[in-house]
């Protein structure tokens, strides 16, 4: 081996890959910081999302604890859940979105956090939220994840679902929103920026949820055309899921 050659140990390579992915997610969060209120303008009407989150309100007792994964600006989901009598914790990587959420829904708690750190030691070590780390296993009555997981590659979507499941009690509920598309970490233009998104045909998505430890009780599809955007209409999928034992 010459002086110019180096060998990177497997754990060091893995750590480098992990930090690279964190940097990519931070870049996407910065894109949403820059979008600000424009995101709300492009998605003003969300009847399918309201109906799916309403299912959580109907199914859970007052005071139940619910996690809003990728809560964005807190509208409409965090507000709807709080107004429905539930206790809400919201997590997002975009500090700009979280600032809006804290103003819009003061009765919820919001934390900057990577979804892939849920249920892990990094929840406390990196983000200072121990109740969403290992100590919080089985503590949640429900979770909502509307169009936040699609920002991940498919392998990470599966990992995120597993982490959400760890935090849910047996029988806990998950309201999930995704776009129906056969994509894996594909670049797409969005509000003058490029984001990377993933999706599944609905049968594949149902299968993924079942393999991840959820029973899918209902799937609703809605066609949605983002307002003021050149993007074509999309099919949004809303799934009502329950953690199996």
């Amino acid at each position: 081996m010459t002086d110019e050659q180096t060998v990177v140990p497997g754990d060091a390579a893995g750590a480098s890959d992990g930090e690279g992915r964190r940097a990519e997610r931070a870049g996407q969060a910065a894109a949403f910081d820059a979008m600000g209120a424009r995101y709300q303008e492009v998605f003003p009407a969300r009847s399918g999302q309201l109906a799916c989150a309403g299912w959580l309100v109907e199914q859970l007792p007052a005071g139940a604890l619910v996690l809003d994964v990728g809560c964005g600006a807190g509208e409409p989901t965090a507000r709807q859940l709080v107004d429905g009598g539930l206790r809400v914790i919201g997590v997002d990587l975009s500090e700009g979105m979280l600032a809006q959420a804290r103003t819009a829904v003061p009765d919820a708690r919001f934390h900057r956090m990577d979804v892939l750190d849920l249920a892990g030691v990094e929840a406390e070590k990196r983000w200072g939220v121990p109740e969403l780390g290992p100590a919080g296993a089985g503590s949640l009555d429900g979770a909502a994840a509307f169009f936040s997981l699609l920002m991940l590659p498919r392998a990470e979507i599966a990992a995120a679902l597993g982490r959400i499941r760890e935090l849910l009690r047996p029988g806990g509920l998950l309201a999930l929103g995704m776009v129906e598309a056969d994509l894996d970490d594909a670049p797409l233009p969005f509000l003058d920026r490029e984001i990377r998104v993933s999706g599944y045909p609905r049968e594949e998505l149902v299968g993924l949820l079942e393999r991840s430890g959820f029973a899918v009780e209902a799937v609703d599809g809605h066609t949605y055309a983002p307002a003021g955007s050149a993007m074509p209409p999309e099919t949004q999928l809303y799934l009502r899921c329950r953690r199996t034992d």
Side-chain angles (χ1 to χ4, degrees):
M1 183 174 66
T2 67
D3 291 341
E4 289 79 13
Q5 292 174 313
T6 58
V7 176
V8 179
D11 56 350
S16 177
D17 290 345
E19 289 306 312
R21 284 296 297 134
R22 286 190 184 279
E24 288 180 27
R25 288 195 289 276
Q28 292 218 7
F32 278 87
D33 287 344
M35 290 175 197
R38 293 185 65 201
Y39 184 87
Q40 300 294 97
E41 295 169 2
V42 171
F43 295 99
R46 308 186 201 181
S47 60
Q49 183 170 334
L50 290 167
C52 197
W55 169 71
L56 291 177
V57 174
E58 294 167 0
Q59 293 288 314
L60 295 174
L65 183 61
V66 179
L67 178 66
D68 188 358
V69 180
C71 60
E75 300 278 8
T77 300
R79 178 187 292 279
Q80 181 182 6
L81 297 176
V82 165
D83 288 348
L86 305 180
R87 293 181 294 138
V88 177
I89 304 173
V91 295
D92 204 288
L93 262 180
S94 168
E95 190 57 62
M97 289 289 184
L98 288 169
Q100 295 181 59
R102 293 184 182 109
T103 299
V105 195
D107 291 331
R109 289 182 288 146
F110 295 101
H111 302 282
R112 184 169 183 267
M113 188 174 176
D114 191 327
V115 62
L116 293 177
D117 289 328
L118 290 171
V121 296
E122 292 297 315
E124 179 174 8
K125 289 175 59 179
R126 185 180 290 264
W127 306 107
V129 192
E131 64 267 36
L132 296 181
S139 65
L140 297 179
D141 299 295
F146 290 119
F147 309 108
S148 51
L149 300 190
L150 61 79
M151 306 293 293
L152 304 173
R154 284 183 174 183
E156 292 181 358
I157 293 174
L161 287 171
R163 290 182 175 273
I164 293 169
R165 184 184 185 277
E166 286 185 48
L167 292 175
L168 288 169
R169 61 171 172 77
L173 305 181
L174 170 64
L176 177 67
M178 292 283 288
V179 173
E180 184 170 25
D182 193 2
L183 298 172
D184 186 9
D185 199 32
L188 290 178
F190 184 72
L191 292 180
D192 303 323
R193 293 179 175 268
E194 182 181 276
I195 60 173
R196 305 188 72 87
V197 300
S198 300
Y200 301 85
R202 72 183 66 193
E203 293 81 6
E204 291 185 22
L205 182 56
V206 169
L208 171 63
L209 283 156
E210 291 174 345
R211 293 191 301 274
S212 300
F214 292 95
V216 179
E217 299 188 352
V219 182
D220 298 320
H222 294 252
T223 300
Y224 192 95
S229 170
M231 296 175 63
E234 60 191 28
T235 299
Q236 297 180 340
L237 299 178
Y238 295 95
L239 301 96
R240 306 178 185 192
C241 315
R242 189 179 301 268
R243 177 190 156 166
T244 54
D245 293 340

